[in-house]
Amino acid sequence: MLLFGGFETPRNLGPYYTRQGFTVLRPGQTIDVGTLLAGVPIQLRAGPGETLFYRWRGHVR
C-alpha cells in the first residue's frame, strides 16, 4: 500500500510528516510509483510550490 500526500511548501510541514514515518521529498522531486506497483514507470510530481510525502506499507514484490 502506498500512502502519499502533499502540502504547500511554505507551510514547512516536512518535519511533522517525517516524525509520522513518511519520506518527504524535496520540492520538485518525483517518485516513481508505477515501476513497483505495475512494472511501468509512472511518476508523481508535486506542482509549483508543493512538496510531496509518501510511505510504503506491506511487502513490495
Side-chain angles (χ1 to χ4, degrees):
M1 176 187 330
L2 171 65
L3 303 170
F4 71 93
F7 59 88
E8 296 172 347
T9 302
R11 294 188 66 198
N12 196 28
L13 294 171
Y16 169 79
Y17 286 109
T18 299
R19 286 192 308 272
Q20 305 310 312
F22 288 89
T23 299
V24 178
L25 302 177
R26 293 182 313 275
Q29 187 178 6
T30 63
I31 179 174
D32 177 6
V33 297
T35 301
L36 289 173
L37 298 175
V40 294
I42 301 172
Q43 300 288 321
L44 289 179
R45 179 184 305 264
E50 295 179 334
T51 298
L52 291 179
F53 58 90
Y54 72 94
R55 178 170 52 193
W56 291 102
R57 286 196 162 178
H59 178 64
V60 178
R61 294 184 250 164

